[in-house]
Amino acid sequence: MPLIVVCGYPCSGKSRRAEELKVYFEDSTEKKVHIVGDGSLGAEKNIVYADSQKEKNVRASLKAEVERKVNKDDIVILDSLNYIKGYRYELFCLIKHAQTPHCLVYCLTSDEQSSLWNTNRDPAEQYNQDIFDALVQRFEAPDSRNRWDSPLFTILKDDTLPFEAISDALFKRKAPPPNQSTQSQPLSSANFLYELDKITQDVLMAIFNVQKTSVPGDLISIPGSSEKISFLNLLTRNINMAELRKLRRQFISYTKMHPTENTGQIANMFVQYLNKSLH
């Protein structure tokens, strides 16, 4: 059943809104409602968000828990920062594969208001100010023009949630259709895994070789792909070959489970995946 993604600054009222949604849907439907969030993982926010690798691990765990709970009968609410648009895109791909609708609830507050709410919390529940400031600075606000951020409900601190509109978005709207990169398809040839391994390795080698002579602003052309990679994204995200190899392993693992019948599209799909992950 549907997924509700709640996002916003730290201490912007996300958990309160998630609970309000849970109560509403439990009272108005016969469906079970699951809230998935940082608290359910027992993660210590000031430790997790101070370490990029630990933060990635938490995001991966949250996504895995959402994927496990999304089914035909239940409503899932993801209560976390969800501040990276690339991560929200991954969640969109997940619901496309599950063929279920979703919506985004954006708790919009000023950084001053959220900071005040943070300082009013119990000291054990507060974000360190440096962590708080860094998360606010990195926050990528949702944009309803992006299909993965739509339908978007922007909620101010004194607003009442538009429960009926959210319900209509979830239950009166068709799920986004699965596409080549999210729909499971039968393997078209015994050489698929060989082609997948070879093509993705060729893409990485092309990036590695071109990086030596590229400058910020260059778009890296990839043999066999009509897509290009921004060299500036590689620099600003400080992406090295080890990180690219990790992304390649993730792509291969996903594509093994959801293979494409057209191996000629693997290079394009992999470059699209890299661009979304690097953006």
Side-chain angles (χ1 to χ4, degrees), residues 153-195:
F153 298 92
T154 300
I155 312 299
L156 302 179
K157 67 183 184 70
D158 296 323
D159 285 351
T160 298
L161 281 171
F163 294 110
E164 290 189 9
I166 292 174
S167 180
D168 288 348
L170 297 178
F171 297 112
K172 295 184 179 180
R173 189 173 62 91
K174 290 184 178 180
N179 58 22
Q180 196 171 54
S181 63
T182 60
Q183 186 176 29
S184 296
Q185 298 177 7
L187 289 175
S188 57
S189 75
N191 291 328
F192 176 79
L193 295 180
Y194 169 79
E195 293 293 332

Side-chain angles (χ1 to χ4, degrees), residues 201-215 218 220-223 231 234 241 244-245:
Q201 182 61 35
D202 288 346
V203 169
L204 288 200
M205 291 308 300
I207 295 172
F208 176 73
N209 291 330
V210 175
Q211 272 186 302
K212 300 174 184 177
T213 56
S214 295
V215 296
D218 284 356
I220 300 176
S221 297
I222 304 298
F231 183 60
L234 296 174
M241 283 304 293
L244 287 173
R245 290 190 187 99

